[in-house]
Structure formats: structure tokens, C-alpha cells
Amino acid sequence: MPTGLLGRSLLILMTPMLLLQIVTVLIFFERHWDTVARQLSRGLAGDVVFVIDYLGQYPDPDHYEWIQNTARARMELDLFFERDAILERQITEPPLGLVSEELYIALDERLQRPFFFDLDLDDRRLEIRVQLKDGVMSIIAPRKRLYNSTTYIFFMWIAGSALILYGVAVIFMRNQVRPIRRLAKAADQFGRGVDVDNFKPEGAAEVRMAATSFMSMRDRIGRHLSQRTALLAGVSHDLRTPLTRMKLELAMQQSSPGVDALKQDVIDMERMVDAYLAFARGEEGEKAVLTDIGKLLTDQVGEALRDGQQIDLHIEDSLEMELRPQSMKRCIANIMSNAGRYATNLSVRAGRRGQDYEIVFDDDGPGIPADKREEVFKPFYRLEESRNQATGGVGLGMTIARDSARGHGGEVLLEDAPGGGLRVRLVLPIGH
């Protein structure tokens, strides 16, 4: 079965037409062509029998010359007599083929003599050879005596009309499927953060209804994101103001174990608030632009190298993609920062893999157990058993990375690295 809507629609439309044509052709063969072939075969066989019987009654040369001229002029038959010859081959059973079978039956019923025929003597003629008592009579007849041209005209009309109808069906079905493809493309672009402001409903009523629903959903999601951003801005202001006052009050206090502990708590609260806002804000407000992913990756690796990380970068081929640069930088930075926190060396390889662009991060750290790999993507989740809590963050790094990747229609996957550490695969679909 075709996988696309166009292919399936054409199959549904054309299958009944094809079945109808097959039934029509079968009926034509069964009735029309069978009848025509039988009548033509009997007519040719009757002419052959007449010639043979006439020569049997009047074997003298004068009559042979008369029947030869008459057969050529009136019956389109050329007669050639081979005296004292013997028929080398004869047909004793009905051969394959409708025309051959009908001709055999007609000659066998009427001629009562050994005979042989060749329907493919050349492109225009056929030959019938009959054994006589004093030789072999060869009768050459035009092929049109057995084959009716209306048969081929019928097939040409059937095939021609079918091609025209199929062509018209393809054109109309493509016009009906095109709005659905545009809707799917708009939904994919919206999922990857690309603006779809120029999209408008078109096509059949059901497709326009789906497109209108998509536009309403897009507007609702946009309003929700805007409201979330405004709420987060207010939360940021409300939280930072008391935290700032607390820092000032603590700075004026004399140093003591309790005061120092409160200062560290305030610092931790600020860090958690910043991390939460970064996670919740995501890529809100940033537009997708055509970005050189290789250059973006090189810049991020350069910043990590300046911070002291050991990174081996290999870019197989670069590619320009529709991305939100800051969001993608945050995604790559979080993955490399996570690797740098728990591993000594990091290998980064990037290149095109089919319809995706993959960035593979391999580290030599302790890795993550297979049953815990999905857990690390949960907000504020930390692997206390395999990761040092004192050196870790607040548990949002991989969450933000996957959120950014999925916002571009991609994915972040965790696997075992060949060297025993953790492999992080960032997969980004290549837009079309």
C-alpha cells in the first residue's frame, strides 16, 4: 500500500476504473473478438475449401489459371502449386491462440485433408499449405483476412482514455493533497519554532477546518507562552528584591557560623532561581534564523576550552539550519558543562546522518546507569549515587538541553560511550 495520502487516494480512485476496464476487455474478448475471429476464420477456410474443391473437379491447366486469377482478384489469395511435393508438417491439434484455434477448427471441419498454416509468414501475409493427391497447394492470404483492425482501435481507445483520466485524476488529487502538505509543513515549522505567519487555510472544507484549528492552537500557545514569560518576569522581580535585601542585611552582620551559613543559603537560592528561570523561559521570544551549526558548535567548544575543558572537536560537514541560536548554544553548553563536571576528556563529533544532523558527545566519566537515563531529564533530578552533589548543579542542565532540542524538532539521547563513559547524541532534523 502507498504510504502517502496522494498515492492512497489515487489507488482508491483508479482501482474501480481499472477493474471496470478489465471487465470490459474480458467481455469484449469473450463476445466480440471471439465472434469476429470465428467468422473471419470460417470465411477464409471457406475460400480455401472452394479453391481446393474446384481444382479437384477441374485439374486441367486452363481451369487452374482461371481459379488462380479469380482467387487473386476476388478473394485476395495467391495460389502456388508444388507438383509431386509432400507436406512436411501438418497440424493435428488446435494450436494456442484464439485466432489459430478458430482457423484450425474451421479448416479441420471443412477441408478433410492434411494441412499446415503459418500466421506469421511476414508482417502482412499468412500461408496455408494443403496436401493434394498430386502435390501441395500453398495459399498466401493477407493477415487482415483474420485480424480485425477494430480490435486494436478498441484497445487504443481504452488505453488512451485511461491515461487521460488517470492524468486528470492525478492533477486534481495533487491539488487536494497540497493544502494538507502545507498544513503538515506549517505544523512542523511551528514545532521547530519557525514563524508561520504567512500560513492561511485553503483546500477542502475539512482541510480548512483543520487549518483553522491549527491557527487557533498556535495563537493559544503563543498567548500562553507570553503569559508565562510575563509571570516569570514578575516572579524574578519579586524574588530578587527580598534576596538582595537579605544579602545587604547579612553583609552588615558580623561574621559567625550562622551568618555564613545564611549567606551561602542566599547564594544557593539565587542560583536556583536563575536556573529555574532559564529552564522555564527556554527560547521564548527568540526567532529562528538560518545558522551555521558548525560555526556555532566551534564557538561553544572554544568557550569551553578557555574555561579549561579538554575537548577534541571533529566536524565532518557543516550545515546551515533554521535554529534559535541562543537556545541551541544553551543546549550545547549544558551538555558540555555536564560532561566537564564529571569527566576529564570530551570528544565531540558532528555531521550529517541521512535526514538528520547529529552531534555526538563522548566523555570518559563514570557514565549513567541505563535505568536512570530518562530520570536525569526530569527537572531538579540529581543522580546522588553516581554524581557528586557538591560539584553538581540544581538538576536542570539536561532538562534544558532536551527541552531546547525538542523545541527544534530534535532529541537528546543518552547511550554508552565506546570508552566506557557517557555518550550524548543531539539529533536535529534537517528542515526541507
Side-chain angles (χ1 to χ4, degrees):
M1 291 289 294
T3 57
L5 178 61
L6 177 61
R8 294 190 176 189
S9 301
L10 291 176
L11 184 64
I12 294 172
L13 180 64
M14 293 181 179
T15 299
M17 295 175 58
L18 183 61
L19 292 176
L20 176 62
Q21 289 179 341
I22 291 175
V23 172
T24 303
V25 170
L26 290 177
I27 293 176
F28 176 80
F29 268 104
E30 183 68 23
R31 301 295 182 184
H32 177 74
W33 200 12
D34 183 57
T35 302
V36 170
R38 183 181 300 110
Q39 296 298 329
L40 292 177
S41 298
R42 289 179 177 179
L44 179 60
D47 291 345
V48 171
V49 171
F50 171 77
V51 170
I52 298 301
D53 290 345
Y54 185 87
L55 292 177
Q57 292 290 331
Y58 306 99
D60 58 276
D62 293 338
H63 284 88
Y64 174 75
E65 183 177 356
W66 179 85
I67 194 61
Q68 188 178 39
N69 294 332
T70 302
R72 181 181 297 112
R74 303 295 178 85
M75 307 177 188
E76 298 182 288
L77 303 179
D78 292 325
L79 308 180
F80 301 95
F81 181 68
E82 303 175 23
R83 187 170 298 278
D84 299 329
I86 298 176
L87 188 65
E88 298 178 356
R89 293 184 298 171
Q90 62 176 320
I91 301 177
T92 58
E93 295 181 358
L96 296 177
L98 178 62
V99 176
S100 301
E101 181 180 0
E102 291 295 341
L103 181 60
Y104 170 82
I105 294 174
L107 291 174
D108 185 62
E109 290 178 351
R110 302 183 181 188
L111 196 57
Q112 301 297 324
R113 297 173 184 268
F115 64 88
F116 174 82
F117 57 81
D118 180 9
L119 302 185
D120 298 315
L121 182 62
D122 55 36
D123 294 338
R124 296 185 177 182
R125 299 183 301 168
L126 59 90
E127 180 183 20
I128 300 175
R129 296 173 62 84
V130 182
Q131 180 68 59
L132 304 180
K133 62 180 181 179
D134 54 349
V136 174
M137 175 63 70
S138 178
I139 303 172
I140 307 298
R143 287 172 56 87
K144 64 181 181 180
R145 289 292 306 269
L146 287 181
Y147 295 93
N148 190 356
S149 60
T150 58
T151 301
Y152 304 102
I153 296 176
F154 174 79
F155 283 124
M156 289 176 63
W157 273 105
I158 286 288
S161 61
L163 291 176
I164 294 175
L165 291 176
Y166 292 161
V168 173
V170 169
I171 293 174
F172 277 92
M173 288 307 303
R174 287 184 63 183
N175 291 334
Q176 295 301 314
V177 172
R178 188 179 295 113
I180 301 177
R181 290 179 174 173
R182 290 177 179 173
L183 176 60
K185 183 179 179 180
D188 178 69
Q189 290 177 334
F190 178 71
R192 291 187 286 111
V194 181
D195 291 334
V196 288
D197 296 334
N198 58 347
F199 176 76
K200 61 180 181 179
E202 58 180 341
E206 292 80 1
V207 180
R208 291 198 302 269
M209 184 182 303
T212 303
S213 300
F214 164 75
M215 295 174 64
S216 300
M217 178 193 69
R218 178 195 62 184
D219 295 338
R220 287 194 299 269
I221 293 175
R223 288 193 299 269
H224 169 73
L225 294 177
S226 299
Q227 292 172 358
R228 188 185 71 168
T229 303
L231 176 62
L232 291 175
V235 170
S236 174
H237 179 270
D238 294 341
L239 289 178
R240 289 182 186 278
T241 300
L243 286 175
T244 302
R245 289 200 302 265
M246 292 171 64
K247 288 176 65 176
L248 291 174
E249 291 291 339
L250 291 172
M252 297 175 62
Q253 300 294 326
Q254 294 182 355
S255 178
S256 66
V259 172
D260 293 339
L262 285 175
K263 289 181 180 180
Q264 185 60 45
D265 289 341
V266 171
I267 293 174
D268 291 341
M269 290 177 64
E270 284 187 324
R271 183 160 53 88
M272 292 178 66
V273 169
D274 291 339
Y276 172 71
L277 292 176
F279 163 70
R281 187 181 301 112
E283 64 275 0
E284 173 64 19
E286 185 181 6
K287 301 298 183 180
V289 296
L290 196 61
T291 305
D292 188 336
I293 185 66
K295 184 177 184 302
L296 184 146
L297 184 60
T298 302
D299 294 341
Q300 288 302 114
V301 170
E303 293 182 8
L305 290 174
R306 286 191 293 272
D307 292 338
Q309 282 191 253
Q310 300 295 323
I311 301 178
D312 177 27
L313 174 63
H314 177 66
I315 300 177
E316 297 177 7
D317 50 354
S318 184
L319 186 69
E320 289 190 342
M321 304 174 60
E322 291 280 349
L323 298 174
R324 292 180 291 276
Q326 295 303 321
S327 175
M328 185 51 57
K329 286 181 180 179
R330 188 182 304 117
C331 174
I332 295 173
N334 285 350
I335 294 174
M336 292 193 301
S337 175
N338 190 70
R341 190 175 294 121
Y342 308 108
T344 304
N345 298 296
L346 175 64
S347 172
V348 182
R349 293 178 291 107
R352 184 167 182 165
R353 301 290 184 272
Q355 298 299 318
D356 299 323
Y357 191 87
E358 284 191 2
I359 305 175
V360 180
F361 304 84
D362 289 332
D363 65 40
D364 57 355
I368 299 178
D371 59 341
K372 298 291 185 181
R373 289 173 184 168
E374 283 300 317
E375 301 293 328
V376 300
F377 292 109
K378 294 181 179 179
F380 305 105
Y381 182 85
R382 298 176 52 145
L383 288 171
E384 297 181 2
E385 297 179 356
S386 60
R387 302 289 172 127
N388 190 342
Q389 187 177 7
T391 60
V394 296
L396 286 173
M398 297 304 294
T399 307
I400 294 175
R402 173 172 274 189
D403 185 64
S404 175
R406 288 181 172 177
H408 289 85
E411 185 59 277
V412 175
L413 305 172
L414 303 183
E415 302 169 355
D416 291 324
L422 179 67
R423 165 173 286 185
V424 181
R425 281 200 303 126
L426 173 58
V427 183
L428 299 173
I430 300 174
H432 298 281

